[in-house]
Amino acid sequence: MKLLRHGPKGQEKPALLHTDGTLRDLSAVLPDIGPAQLSPAGLAALARIDAGTLPVVPQGRLAVPWTGMRKFIAIGLNYADHAAEANMPIPKEPIVFTKTVDCAVGCNHPVVLPQGSVKSDWEVELGVVIGSRARYVSEADALAHVAGYCTINDVSEREYQLERGGTWDKGKGCDTFGPIGPWLVSADEVGDPQNLSMWLDINGVRKQTGSTRTMIFTVAQIVSYLSRFMTLEPGDVITTGTPPGVGMGQKPAPEYLKAGDVITLGIEKLGDQRQTVHAWDPALIDG
């Protein structure tokens, strides 16, 4: 299943993308797509619905595909070739940081640069959405706790992240720095999360090409590892690292986002995103 939420801010409605390419309204059968619907029982109930009997609706503004997210967790340097371009050693354990839940926006929402930003960067990443509570789970059982997967752009301000002291978090959670979607694809439809191609373009020029095959720590390893430090709850999302080609790794000199740039990105089976970059404008943040 491909689940999504669409419509004006504050009036989003749940829907799914039917196999015939049409958007089908779910609002008559469930109030929203949240933690209850992402549970194994909730997904099983949705799978029993004959999508062909649901009303066809036009697509409105795309929001984050589910609601009720409590944690937005990120893994750094999880591709060996990206670690190399960043001149950083391959980590022995996953590097964990957080993005603020408030930075999560729909897949086509404007990316708004923070005031004074000069090193904002792009990162296409596989998102992992938790469907059932995970606490001290084994690697063998970890994927059973995953509801599905999504495309994420882990937008990052590198000066804030690496040059301002402290942790990486301050460069990762700026408003609009977490585009998610267009939809959440159920785990059964995705199959092996370690065999997905991914890409990102800036203004039509390919910058990133990669595959989840080259992740240092697999999805199962990451879920199991995180569950030893925190309880993962339904609706929590983990963004799992990026392949090479980010702005700070460009040769002969780094390249960073500027107002007017257009970012397009996608992951096999999970859908594409498109964002236009804007200079600081608070009116664009909550739209």
Side-chain angles (χ1 to χ4, degrees):
M1 290 178 293
K2 293 183 174 70
L3 302 174
L4 62 137
R5 299 169 65 246
H6 70 117
K9 185 175 177 62
Q11 303 176 46
E12 294 90 346
K13 292 185 176 182
L16 60 78
L17 186 70
H18 190 31
T19 53
D20 66 3
T22 59
L23 208 65
R24 301 298 179 119
D25 184 31
L26 285 169
S27 59
V29 294
L30 62 133
D32 209 337
I33 298 169
Q37 289 73 40
L38 300 179
S39 69
L43 289 174
L46 283 170
R48 289 193 293 268
I49 297 172
D50 182 355
T53 66
L54 297 173
V56 177
V57 289
Q59 178 181 299
R61 160 190 168 271
L62 289 171
V64 176
W66 72 98
T67 188
M69 181 193 306
R70 294 175 54 183
K71 291 188 283 294
F72 194 161
I73 309 156
I75 306 299
L77 298 178
N78 197 29
Y79 289 71
D81 35 11
H82 173 53
E85 75 173 352
N87 294 315
M88 295 182 180
I90 294 175
K92 294 181 173 61
E93 295 189 32
I95 294 174
V96 180
F97 59 93
T98 61
K99 292 175 74 76
T100 61
V101 171
D102 289 343
C103 84
V105 291
C107 63
N108 300 328
H109 194 286
V111 166
V112 181
L113 300 177
Q115 292 184 13
S117 169
V118 294
K119 294 184 179 180
S120 288
D121 204 345
W122 56 83
E123 297 186 56
V124 58
E125 303 200 4
L126 171 67
V128 179
V129 185
I130 300 299
S132 60
R133 177 176 287 176
R135 181 184 289 156
Y136 290 101
V137 300
S138 68
E139 184 179 329
D141 294 335
L143 294 186
H145 294 267
V146 174
Y149 303 92
C150 57
T151 303
I152 294 179
N153 187 358
D154 176 21
V155 186
S156 308
E157 217 299 344
R158 302 300 189 189
E159 181 189 11
Y160 300 179
Q161 175 191 356
L162 301 172
E163 301 174 28
R164 302 284 292 271
T167 67
W168 288 8
D169 300 39
K170 66 181 71 173
K172 294 287 189 170
C174 304
D175 292 325
T176 75
F177 271 26
I180 298 177
W183 32 73
L184 184 161
V185 185
S186 58
D188 63 319
E189 185 168 322
V190 173
D192 182 5
Q194 304 307 147
N195 191 30
L196 303 172
S197 61
M198 52 210 308
W199 59 274
L200 183 145
D201 292 353
I202 301 294
N203 301 322
V205 178
R206 184 60 44 93
K207 299 296 184 180
Q208 290 187 272
T209 302
S211 170
T212 57
R213 291 191 303 272
T214 65
M215 287 168 61
I216 298 167
F217 303 104
T218 67
V219 171
Q221 289 172 325
I222 289 167
V223 172
S224 175
Y225 182 85
L226 290 175
S227 77
R228 300 176 186 280
F229 299 95
M230 65 191 80
T231 299
L232 301 174
E233 298 284 0
D236 290 348
V237 66
I238 307 162
T239 190
T240 56
T242 197
V246 300
M248 71 175 180
Q250 295 296 309
K251 305 298 183 188
E255 300 174 16
Y256 295 110
L257 295 170
K258 60 186 184 302
D261 283 345
V262 175
I263 313 169
T264 50
L265 62 146
I267 299 179
E268 181 183 0
K269 299 183 181 181
L270 303 182
D272 301 347
Q273 301 186 357
R274 183 182 190 277
Q275 297 110 31
T276 300
V277 179
H278 293 259
W280 172 253
D281 183 348
L284 292 174
I285 290 172
D286 298 320

